[in-house]
Amino acid sequence: MKIKRALHYLNQTYKLGRKLGLDNINQLLDELGRPDKQMKLIHVAGTNGKGSTSSMIYTMLQQAGYSVGFYSSPHLVKYNERFQVDGEMISDDDLAQTITVVKKAVSAMTARGLTHPTEFEVLTAVSLVYFRDRGCQYAVMEVGLGGRLDATNAIVDPVCSVITPIEFDHTSFLGNSLTEIAGEKAGILRKNVPAVIAPQQAEAKKEIERVAKQRNTPLIHVKVPKKVIQSSDLTGTVFLWNDKEFKLRQLGRYQVENAITALTVMDTLRKTGELKITDYRMKQGILHTKWPGRLEKVANSPDIYIDGSHNPHGARTLLETFNQVCKDKRCIAVFGMKDDKDVAGVLKHTAGLFQHMIATEPHTEATHSAEEIASLIEPYGVETTIEPDLNKAFDLACSMADKDDLIIVYGSFYLIGDIRDRVVKS
């Protein structure tokens, strides 16, 4: 298949696959010869920071000289972003070729009367086949949704499991309490496989510990001292870990917590003998990690940032990062979110940053309308413009801003992905 036909097939799988559970993905991986058995796997779940943490682990492993694959979701602009090996995302030709291999295995499954896999199951299989064919020694696998029933949980025992901070998100699928959500995330824990656990709220931590005890999983709890940050500005953050100084280019205190979680994973694997890595290579990995769409600066004069703040935790980070900046200069927002997200919770923390907000809609289905967004902004007394068309909303923000002003595009990953594709030249 060529790339257009391959992507059309992926879109079709969204309609064809609906069965919950791990039976389908296990059948598919069996059909493909269990590519997950050909490399060491690091499995990362959580609500916030799992992409950033995974990316830091991935980059540190590269710095140590290993060949590494990285499977992430969602993508900002195109599917290729989800499949990276040694610092490069998959080419169109390789993606099409690998989808073709997986489609053949799916056809063999359905011919035996088995249910067609979901889109995410197909994507997960594509990642593992690609990493195997590229000869990866390690693969960092980011959970898509939850953990217990996520397709990535069909992998053979990883060398390390990781759970980043858990918050309320996808409650219709994962539950309405932190205990329920944490129980789903903790579904990735395995017997005798070390699990690195980022700082958690008490309710989530208690549930993770309950599941770990039940499964005989050794837990390593990440500790982040209050005075860990040495300096921080819009160019990055310097922090201490094990009495050593690290420089991080990503913005926000939560990224320091993600970095310390990733460093703890490396240190754990170093102690268990699964890898060899020096502190210097770990420093280089943290320094050179890139993770698009999280408090990312994409243009100058005016400065333009994009951020996937789609829950209150991310919103608090946005506030923490830009609170002083927006007191010193005029800040304009372009904001839109999908209808399964906590818009009111996000606005509670962020609306007060801005002198003007443009309410808009991501280019996807099931979004809050621009009118709904504006009505939720109204109680904060912020001057607001309604512009449903995202491109027009962004153009309007640019036309309103002087070179010394600040524009922040935030909310849905679909929204910031479209703007990033416009602004950032690859």
Side-chain angles (χ1 to χ4, degrees), residues 28 31-32 100-110 112:
L28 180 53
E31 191 71 39
L32 290 162
T100 302
V101 170
V102 174
K103 183 184 178 186
K104 185 177 178 181
V106 169
S107 297
M109 282 177 59
T110 55
R112 297 199 305 271

Side-chain angles (χ1 to χ4, degrees), residues 9 58 68 91 101 133 135 138 160 164 190 200 222 243 273 282 288 299 301 309 316-317 353 383 390 393 396 400:
Y9 168 69
Y58 168 62
V68 196
S91 67
V101 170
D133 292 349
Y138 281 87
C160 187
T164 65
R190 308 289 181 93
Q200 304 288 343
V222 175
D243 297 323
M282 290 160 73
H288 292 292
S301 297
S309 294
R316 288 194 296 271
T317 300
L353 285 171
E383 188 177 68
L390 173 57
L396 177 60
M400 291 172 60

Side-chain angles (χ1 to χ4, degrees), residues 278-295:
T278 64
D279 287 348
Y280 174 75
R281 290 299 171 191
M282 290 160 73
K283 283 187 178 185
Q284 290 300 300
I286 294 297
L287 178 64
H288 292 292
T289 296
K290 296 177 182 177
W291 192 235
R294 278 70 169 187
L295 297 171

Side-chain angles (χ1 to χ4, degrees), residues 4 74 105 152 159 173 206 222 251-252 313 357 362 368 397 406 416 424:
K4 283 187 179 179
T152 60
V159 292
F173 294 100
K206 183 178 179 180
V222 175
L251 303 179
H313 181 275
M357 296 190 72
H368 284 281
L406 180 70
I416 66 169
V424 178

Side-chain angles (χ1 to χ4, degrees), residues 309-316 318-319 333-338 341-354 356-360 368-384 408 410-411:
S309 294
H310 59 263
N311 60 33
H313 181 275
R316 288 194 296 271
L318 187 69
L319 172 64
V334 178
F335 177 65
M337 288 174 69
K338 292 187 69 179
K341 302 299 181 183
D342 182 6
V343 175
V346 170
L347 288 172
K348 176 183 175 182
H349 297 290
T350 59
L353 285 171
F354 303 104
H356 193 102
M357 296 190 72
I358 302 171
T360 189
H368 284 281
S369 70
E371 288 80 7
E372 288 177 285
I373 296 283
S375 70
L376 291 168
I377 296 171
E378 188 176 0
Y380 297 97
V382 181
E383 188 177 68
T384 306
I408 301 177
Y410 74 111

